[in-house]
Each structure stands twice: as structure tokens, then as C-alpha cells.
Amino acid sequence: MRLATWNINSIRARTERAVSFLERSGVDVLALQETKCKDEQFPREPFEALGYEVATAGFSQWNGVAIVSRVGIEDVETGFPGMPTWGDPAVAEARALGATCGGVRVWSLYVPNGREIDDPHYAYKLDWLARLRDAAAGWLAADPHAPFALVGDWNIAPLDTDVWDPAWFAGRTHVTPAERAAFTALAEAGLTEVSREHLPAEHTYTYWDYQQLRFPRNQGMRIDLTYASPALAARVTGATIVRDERKGKAPSDHVPVVLEIADRATT
């Protein structure tokens, strides 16, 4: 299986890019984030014409996640157990979508941004990550051999080398000790961040802001990542960051990250 994750930053604005990517890459399952549309607005037809099934979770023009798969979509679940709510009135946002594709449980995740350190959204982000860690630990406890992946835009740069200038980020979200500890907690629960395991190069980014010529200057962040259960991590044979998708007409500010997954454990 070839599994990819991509914050598309509006699927309706970038349908052609997503379809073209699938045609060229041979990706079997694509997890999308920040689709920015309601379920009924998602442009399903071009994906279905290629032989992909589509599952979506989108409630408004904000957030939104989806999974498109040509190896089946079963047991679709919107939101993970215990996922916290946000807003007034508080609601579960469209930030997590799970489905079983080709025997692998895939979760497309769009972790809250956090905004500013003193903003309530930052506390919401930390709570969201803690609940996700608890859910993942529960899945492993229930079935230690379950193959599952938590993929998406984590809005966290786990290492200083995952941002173009640590000094510039001082006092900002995405790099605080609390956020990094919340990210590391998933590893402590028994998962492996497989994209870094197979692509450890430093200063290798997945996101570049549209402003200040960040992409031409390679002033980016590595925030699109994949945690895998032990059973799935043993099957991952490689990872690729598709940097060229940041080029061309009207790109997303993120690029796809692709994982190669063998039929069985390689070790």
C-alpha cells in the first residue's frame, strides 16, 4: 500500500492538483486535511472517476478532513473517543476521521493550531493531543497487533531542526515544550513516528508560509507527520516528502508525505 497525507488547504480550490497527484503517484490512500467544505460540497466525482472511494468530515468552511481510497473504506468514524470540543456552544470540530483501508486503520488528523500561547485555543490543542494519546493507547491495549496510522497536520515541529529558525519561533506556538511533550507522549504510548524514521534528514520541511517568500528561501516547517502502531511500523519501508507539490499554480502551503507499506513486516 502507498499511503499519503496532505493538508490541501481547500479541496475545492485544489481538486485538480489532488487528482493529478493521485494519477502520477500511484497513491492508494490519501488522507486530506483542511478541506474547508461541508460534506455535501466535497468534489467526490473526480476521485470516484479514478476508482477511489471517499469519506469526509466537514461541517463548514473551516477545518475538515477526508480520506480517499482505492483499496476500500470501511468502518468510517468521525472523531476519536474522548475528542474534546471547542466553541460557544462547544462542538466537536471536523478534525479527525478514521476508516479502515486495505486492512489498515487510517486516521486523518488536523490538530488544532493553538494560535497564541496565552490563547484558550492553546489549552484546547494540548487537551486534544492528550485525548488522542489516550485513544491510541486504548486501541493498542485492545489489540497490540492492530495496524493503524495517525497521519496529518500536527501543527507541531518536534525538533528545532524542523523549523527554519528556532530563534524566530521563540515564544510562539508549534515549538513549545508542552506541545512537543504532547507529541512525544504518543511515542511513549508505543507508537513510532515512521516518516522521520525513514526520512531523518534535518531541515526537511513539509510546510512553507505563503508570505515573505518562505518557499523560495526554504524557510519552512516539518509539521506533517505519521505515527504508526508497532504492527504497521514494521511494514513501512520508506517515506517521501513531495516537495515539488509546493510549486506551480495555486499550490497548498503544505506538501504530501507518502509512506510505502509492505504487505507484511519486513523485520
Side-chain angles (χ1 to χ4, degrees), residues 1-3 28-29 53 67 69-75 99-107 143 145-149 229 231-232 235 261-264:
M1 179 190 295
R2 184 168 287 173
L3 168 64
D28 299 297
V29 182
E53 297 178 78
I67 298 172
S69 168
R70 63 180 180 184
V71 292
I73 290 184
E74 300 176 341
D75 302 323
T100 301
C101 306
V104 175
R105 188 69 176 167
V106 177
W107 280 92
D143 184 359
H145 304 292
F148 66 85
S229 65
L232 186 64
R235 293 168 51 189
I261 301 173
D263 290 338
R264 57 183 60 86

Side-chain angles (χ1 to χ4, degrees), residues 18 36 59 135 142 179 191 194 197 199 245 255:
K36 294 184 176 179
F59 311 132
E179 289 168 292
L191 278 67
V194 288
E197 184 174 78
L199 191 63
E245 282 296 337
V255 297

Side-chain angles (χ1 to χ4, degrees), residues 236-267:
V236 177
T237 60
T240 305
I241 294 173
V242 191
R243 191 178 188 276
D244 282 352
E245 282 296 337
R246 185 60 173 78
K247 302 176 182 179
K249 181 181 178 181
S252 171
D253 43 5
H254 295 249
V255 297
V257 180
V258 182
L259 297 178
E260 306 290 343
I261 301 173
D263 290 338
R264 57 183 60 86
T266 58
T267 58

